[in-house]
Amino acid sequence: MKRLSLIAIIIISTLLILPSNANAQVKRGEWDFRPVLTTTNSLYGLLFNGAGTIMGSSWVPSLFNRFSVMQSLHTPEGKASIKYWDWEFRNIAVAYQVAYQGKFHPFGFSFRVGYEKRGLQTNLPDKSKKYFNRQMIAPTFLLNVRFGNYLTNRVNPVLEIGGSYDVAIACKGLSKNTKSVNNGFHGIAGIGFGDTNTHLQWTLRYEQDFYNWFNEDFTTDNGSTHPYKGWKSKMGYLSISCRFGF
């Protein structure tokens, strides 16, 4: 815990000495290319968001920090308890994003592809503890719409809507076979504001998996059992995003 406190102090101290208007007058085009970093339920994620705001340079990644708001896992024996505060980067995503925002019209979009790892630390109904992990490729598309007089106003409301299609490439749990977990659509909807002076956009998003993590029809190699029969997940998140654009 002392090590975590030291890291937090170092990062916060660094942020305080950086100029808050570092990129205030940078002239940006309609296209933006940069990496994206996403953390889930992590103190580090909040610090990264703060760093992105204050540093404001063209090489800073777009930053996202998710918070679990609707996590449930049902098994034939009852509901499992999910522990979802992440201090060890067990839930993290790294991607590269291409974004567009029109200067003279309200529409924009972003597309990114990358690697994502999400894990559940669970207490099962029989009191045993199990860690479920899925690693994915998650291509994501978002439509971005600005409102108000964005040609003259500095700050304008923003609406985002879109999602990703999550494709499992590895997993850990009752089985390590990727056929034991499902692929599916992860929906995203958000509202926020954009600052045309600093080129920052902050968004509060709601995200939800519209698929069950577990494949109830999966059969093990020996064909004798369906380990995830009756297992159903329901995963929802709030996320705070900070990104740069026009």
Side-chain angles (χ1 to χ4, degrees), residues 20-228:
S20 59
N21 62 345
N23 73 325
Q25 301 303 323
V26 175
K27 300 299 182 182
R28 296 187 182 277
E30 297 181 324
W31 291 91
D32 188 68
F33 306 87
R34 68 179 62 242
V36 178
L37 175 66
T38 303
T39 58
T40 302
N41 283 30
S42 171
L43 172 65
Y44 306 120
L46 291 176
L47 296 176
F48 291 155
N49 275 144
T53 302
I54 295 177
M55 293 175 70
S57 63
S58 60
W59 54 267
V60 173
S62 291
L63 303 159
F64 299 81
N65 192 42
R66 290 183 182 135
F67 302 89
S68 61
V69 294
M70 182 184 65
Q71 310 291 326
S72 64
L73 175 58
H74 293 271
T75 73
E77 290 75 31
K79 187 175 180 179
S81 172
I82 298 175
K83 180 182 178 183
Y84 218 115
W85 191 258
D86 189 2
W87 296 98
E88 300 176 3
F89 289 119
R90 291 178 172 172
N91 292 265
I92 191 168
V94 180
Y96 194 80
Q97 177 173 278
V98 176
Y100 168 84
Q101 181 66 63
K103 290 183 180 180
F104 305 109
H105 59 77
F107 301 106
F109 69 87
S110 64
F111 178 75
R112 67 177 184 263
V113 177
Y115 164 84
E116 181 170 353
K117 181 176 72 172
R118 279 195 269 165
L120 302 177
Q121 300 179 65
T122 61
N123 294 314
L124 297 175
D126 63 4
K127 307 302 181 181
S128 64
K129 295 183 179 181
K130 194 73 176 178
Y131 176 64
F132 297 95
N133 165 290
R134 57 182 291 132
Q135 300 176 57
M136 305 175 291
I137 298 296
T140 303
F141 179 84
L142 285 172
L143 177 66
N144 193 80
V145 184
R146 293 186 296 180
F147 296 90
N149 192 345
Y150 48 84
L151 295 179
T152 58
N153 294 346
R154 174 173 173 176
V155 178
N156 292 278
V158 173
L159 171 68
E160 290 183 327
I161 189 167
S164 65
Y165 190 80
D166 302 341
V167 180
I169 57 175
C171 64
K172 178 181 179 181
L174 299 182
S175 171
K176 294 184 180 181
N177 189 328
T178 54
K179 293 182 179 179
S180 68
V181 293
N182 293 315
N183 303 324
F185 178 70
H186 176 89
I188 302 171
I191 55 173
F193 64 89
D195 186 326
T196 55
N197 188 29
T198 62
H199 311 284
L200 272 171
Q201 180 172 304
W202 280 86
T203 309
L204 176 65
R205 293 177 174 176
Y206 176 72
E207 307 181 37
Q208 182 175 335
D209 293 341
F210 288 93
Y211 61 93
N212 183 8
W213 272 34
F214 305 97
N215 180 3
E216 296 184 71
D217 297 325
F218 171 69
T219 301
T220 58
D221 292 338
N222 59 23
S224 61
T225 183
H226 294 76
Y228 291 127

